[in-house]
């Protein structure tokens, strides 16, 4: 980093100044010894060495004066160097904190832009004629056609694990990957929040979104679930016939975001980049340890973004600002940076039941 280089140069100048002052002091000590020896020899020479003795005495006085100046200069340099190091370290910490805060904001903005597209997808696909027909008339042919249509969507949109059509009672009647997830059809989701919220949407512009959770039917994979009502005729205000739920493959997408944060090699070795949900659960982690049951003790003190320093570490954070019509879910981007030589020193929060 350029900031590090500037600070290193400042330290080097201070160290060089110390060395040079030390060299001056060493020379003055030698000069004082020479002057002392000269005075001794002048005394031995008697009257013949009197004039030389005066010169030697003056040399000693000048040497002592220079030594005193050098000692004072050394003290001032050391005091100023200490202040310079403290100011430089504080400046570097502040600059790094501001940059890490911007990077944390960028990370949560990237994921929100991605999830905004998911909210658009579910509202669009819920009006697909094959999906609407399957919900209106759930016969074998209509359901098979809808499943085929969902499979076509999945081949193009590889960020999804599966797409489900449910009836009004919360039973899955068709999915896009019956070969991979044969347990989906017939699965009951009436007790799941995403289904209940989708069923109660006011119109075709509304949708529901659930927090990141593991879905047993999808191999216990962590998913972001978006859903909306399927309406008669695909109309904006049509009668609710069932729901469409889409399951965003969270782990690889989130990993790409936290691993893609613009850190230098040294910074990356010392940093843990995370995404937290509104309950402070770690839902993505550059260390690859996000198990969805760990909470991070983030102290925002009411701030939307900022950074804090404690002995050995720097924590920068930013809350989602949302994206276009997507208000976001109150998530945070967080970067924790260890100031020690090893990233192992980064704080490891305890699990919270």
């Amino acid at each position: 980093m350029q900031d590090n280089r500037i600070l290193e140069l400042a330290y080097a100048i201070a160290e060089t100044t110390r060395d040079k002052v030390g060299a001056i002091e060493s020379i003055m000590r030698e000069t004082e010894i020479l002057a002392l020896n000269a005075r001794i020899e002048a005394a031995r020479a008697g009257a013949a060495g009197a004039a030389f003795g005066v010169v030697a005495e003056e040399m000693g006085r000048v040497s002592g004066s220079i030594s005193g100046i050098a000692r004072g200069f050394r003290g001032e340099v050391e005091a100023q160097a200490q202040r310079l190091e403290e100011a430089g370290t504080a400046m570097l910490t502040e600059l790094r904190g501001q940059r890490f805060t911007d990077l944390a904001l960028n990370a949560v903005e990237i994921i929100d832009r991605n999830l905004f597209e998911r909210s658009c997808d579910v509202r669009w696909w819920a009006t697909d004629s094959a999906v609407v027909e399957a919900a209106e008339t759930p016969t074998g042919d209509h359901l098979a056609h809808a499943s085929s249509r969902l499979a076509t969507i999945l081949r193009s949109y590889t960020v999804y694990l599966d797409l489900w059509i449910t009836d009004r009672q919360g039973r899955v009647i068709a999915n896009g990957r019956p070969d991979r997830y044969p347990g989906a059809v017939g699965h009951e989701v009436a007790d799941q929040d995403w289904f209940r919220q989708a069923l109660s949407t006011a119109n075709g512009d509304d949708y529901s979104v659930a927090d990141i959770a593991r879905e047993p039917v999808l191999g216990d994979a962590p998913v972001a679930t978006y859903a909306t009502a399927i309406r008669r005729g695909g109309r904006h205000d049509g009668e609710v016939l069932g729901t469409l739920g889409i399951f965003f493959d969270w782990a690889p997408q989130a990993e790409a975001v936290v691993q893609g944060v613009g850190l230098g090699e040294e910074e990356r070795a010392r940093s843990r980049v995370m995404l937290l949900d509104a309950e402070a659960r770690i839902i993505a982690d550059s260390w690859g340890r996000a198990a969805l049951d760990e909470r991070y003790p983030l102290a925002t003190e009411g701030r939307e973004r900022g950074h804090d320093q404690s002995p050995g570490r720097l924590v920068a954070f930013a809350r989602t600002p949302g994206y276009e019509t997507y208000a976001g879910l109150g998530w945070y981007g967080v970067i924790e940076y260890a100031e020690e030589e090893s990233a192992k020193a980064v704080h490891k929060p305890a699990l919270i039941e």
Side-chain angles (χ1 to χ4, degrees):
M1 285 178 59
Q2 188 64 27
D3 299 333
N4 276 338
R5 180 60 179 159
I6 292 171
L7 195 54
E8 287 170 4
L9 288 172
Y11 293 161
I13 290 170
E15 187 62 30
T16 299
T17 303
R18 291 192 192 100
D19 290 344
K20 297 308 179 185
V21 170
I24 291 171
E25 289 179 329
S26 178
I27 291 171
M28 288 305 98
R29 283 193 296 271
E30 292 178 8
T31 303
E32 288 173 356
I33 292 171
L34 289 173
L36 177 61
N37 289 336
R39 288 197 298 273
I40 292 171
E41 293 301 322
R44 287 177 179 173
F52 186 64
V54 172
V55 174
E57 185 70 28
E58 188 62 18
M59 284 179 59
R61 187 187 66 77
V62 171
S63 176
S65 296
I66 294 174
S67 294
I69 293 171
R71 284 192 297 272
F73 184 49
R74 171 188 282 277
E76 290 182 13
V77 166
E78 289 180 347
Q80 294 291 352
Q82 178 65 30
R83 285 193 285 272
L84 176 63
E85 291 176 8
E86 291 172 355
T89 299
M91 178 188 71
L92 179 59
T93 298
E94 180 64 21
L95 291 173
R96 176 175 280 132
Q98 291 178 359
R99 190 169 66 85
F100 280 10
T101 299
D102 290 340
L103 290 173
L105 176 62
N106 184 60
V108 78
E109 283 184 323
I110 288 173
I111 202 66
D112 268 357
R113 284 198 292 270
N114 199 319
L115 296 180
F116 166 73
E117 295 176 3
R118 312 290 69 87
S119 73
C120 296
D121 289 346
V122 71
R123 288 175 285 179
W124 170 29
W125 296 336
T127 65
D128 183 277
S129 60
V131 172
V132 174
E133 283 181 356
E136 284 180 334
T137 312
T139 61
D141 289 345
H142 286 161
L143 293 175
H145 179 50
S147 180
S148 175
R149 174 60 181 158
L150 296 180
T152 299
I153 293 173
L154 288 169
R155 284 194 293 273
S156 300
Y157 290 80
T158 57
V159 297
Y160 293 105
L161 288 177
D162 206 2
L163 313 177
W164 294 355
I165 298 172
T166 78
D167 60 21
R168 283 182 57 88
Q169 288 69 47
R171 186 175 66 90
V172 179
I173 59 176
N175 71 318
R177 287 187 170 136
D179 53 338
R180 186 183 302 182
Y181 305 113
V185 173
H187 181 57
E188 298 289 342
V189 297
D191 62 341
Q192 299 206 21
D193 288 342
W194 65 261
F195 168 77
R196 292 197 299 267
Q197 293 169 10
L199 205 65
S200 62
T201 50
N203 53 55
D205 289 335
D206 290 344
Y207 64 92
S208 72
V209 54
D211 284 329
I212 306 302
R214 296 187 180 278
E215 174 50 62
V217 175
L218 301 178
D220 209 34
V223 293
T225 305
Y226 285 73
T228 193
I230 301 170
R231 299 176 180 275
R232 189 174 299 278
R235 296 193 306 272
H236 175 75
D237 57 353
E239 174 193 357
V240 174
L241 304 171
T243 71
L244 175 66
I246 65 176
F247 300 92
F248 182 65
D249 190 5
W250 173 252
Q253 316 308 323
E255 181 181 2
V257 171
V258 295
Q259 296 293 351
V261 170
L263 298 172
E265 183 177 347
E266 176 271 340
E267 291 175 331
R268 189 171 299 281
R270 299 188 187 192
S271 298
R272 187 184 189 189
V273 183
M274 294 166 280
L275 293 174
L276 311 183
D277 69 10
E279 301 300 320
R281 284 191 311 154
I282 300 176
I283 55 178
D285 173 13
S286 62
W287 287 1
R289 299 200 322 224
L292 307 183
D293 58 359
E294 181 183 348
R295 285 180 170 80
Y296 187 81
L298 181 65
T300 67
E301 299 177 346
R303 294 169 294 172
E304 293 289 301
R305 65 193 68 169
H307 60 273
D308 297 301
Q309 185 182 22
S310 59
R313 70 179 184 131
L314 174 72
V315 177
F317 64 90
R319 187 179 187 275
T320 172
Y323 182 73
E324 294 194 6
T325 59
Y326 183 70
L329 299 174
W331 291 359
Y332 285 87
V334 176
I335 300 176
E336 183 176 73
Y337 173 79
E339 295 178 341
E340 286 81 0
E341 287 301 318
S342 171
K344 293 179 181 179
V346 175
H347 175 73
K348 298 176 178 60
L351 298 185
I352 298 178
E353 297 298 334

